[in-house]
């Protein structure tokens, strides 16, 4: 019984380790022979969104569309396109959504300004809440009258 339990634990640990290992999406047959072009292709691939996974770059994704995009990037680089020409080609073909980091433009200004706006609004809310709390501080209690002091002394004596 203990041997089976130990075997199951070892299998579970091996499964966890296998699943926790990083995925290497770029296959050896995709790599370019020129190391400089391959480095450019990898840099571009890390900034492009996988249209299937949507929160992964095409460099990290195992989806077939990501593979096609990696190959397309490499083809464009081999054809002599600059990095900006490759990005422009992909944006024209797939839209601005293909970029993991959107460009600052009229359409994306709200996206870029939202974090700073929320941070400023949150700071102002805290500032006004603290000021309001200071202004509403309770007044000190009024001192007891002679009559109240006499009644209190009588209560305490009894």
């Amino acid at each position: 019984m203990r041997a089976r339990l130990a075997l199951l634990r070892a299998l579970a640990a091996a499964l966890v380790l296998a699943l926790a290992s990083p995925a290497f999406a770029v296959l050896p047959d995709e790599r370019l022979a020129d190391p400089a072009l391959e480095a450019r292709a990898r840099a571009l691939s890390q900034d492009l969104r996988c249209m299937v996974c949507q929160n992964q770059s095409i460099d990290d994704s195992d989806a077939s569309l990501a593979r096609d995009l990696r190959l397309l990037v490499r083809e464009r680089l081999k054809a002599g396109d600059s990095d900006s020409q490759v990005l422009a080609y992909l944006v024209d073909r797939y839209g601005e959504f293909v970029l993991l980091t959107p460009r600052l433009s009229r359409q994306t200004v709200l996206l870029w300004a939202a974090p700073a706006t929320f941070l400023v609004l949150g700071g102002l809310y805290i500032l006004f809440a603290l000021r309001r709390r200071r202004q509403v501080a309770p007044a000190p209690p009024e001192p007891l009258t002679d009559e109240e002091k006499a009644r209190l002394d009588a209560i305490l004596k009894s």
Side-chain angles (χ1 to χ4, degrees), residues 11-24:
L11 287 174
L15 180 64
V16 167
L17 287 174
L19 293 176
S21 66
F24 298 107

Side-chain angles (χ1 to χ4, degrees), residues 7-39:
L7 179 64
L8 284 175
R9 285 184 181 165
L11 287 174
L15 180 64
V16 167
L17 287 174
L19 293 176
S21 66
F24 298 107
V26 178
L27 301 174
D29 64 330
E30 295 176 25
R31 294 194 176 116
L32 296 172
D34 183 6
L37 277 180
E38 180 61 27

Side-chain angles (χ1 to χ4, degrees), residues 5-157:
L5 187 59
L7 179 64
L8 284 175
R9 285 184 181 165
L11 287 174
L15 180 64
V16 167
L17 287 174
L19 293 176
S21 66
F24 298 107
V26 178
L27 301 174
D29 64 330
E30 295 176 25
R31 294 194 176 116
L32 296 172
D34 183 6
L37 277 180
E38 180 61 27
R40 285 177 54 204
R42 293 299 293 262
L44 285 171
S45 295
Q46 289 172 355
D47 291 334
L48 295 170
R49 181 186 315 272
C50 173
M51 303 304 274
V52 176
C53 308
Q54 296 190 0
N55 283 333
Q56 281 185 323
S57 70
I58 62 170
D59 201 44
D60 298 330
S61 176
D62 286 330
S64 62
L65 180 61
R67 175 181 164 77
D68 293 343
L69 286 174
R70 286 192 303 266
L71 292 173
L72 180 63
V73 166
R74 283 165 172 77
E75 285 174 17
R76 302 294 297 190
L77 288 174
K78 281 194 290 188
D81 286 359
S82 69
D83 293 356
S84 59
Q85 288 173 324
V86 173
L87 289 177
Y89 176 79
L90 290 170
V91 168
D92 288 342
R93 191 168 184 184
Y94 295 101
E96 192 84 16
F97 188 71
V98 77
L99 301 175
L100 272 175
T101 307
R103 298 175 183 155
L104 182 60
S105 67
R106 196 168 34 106
Q107 290 85 7
T108 61
V109 72
L110 183 62
L111 177 69
W112 283 100
T117 304
F118 286 127
L119 187 64
V120 168
L121 289 175
L124 288 173
Y125 176 79
I126 290 171
L127 179 72
F128 287 128
L130 289 175
R131 280 188 180 177
R132 194 174 326 126
R133 186 178 277 179
R134 286 183 190 152
Q135 290 173 354
V136 185
E142 294 181 17
L144 296 176
T145 63
D146 292 335
E147 183 181 309
E148 291 170 336
K149 286 180 185 176
R151 263 183 42 203
L152 183 61
D153 286 339
I155 292 172
L156 289 175
K157 286 180 184 177

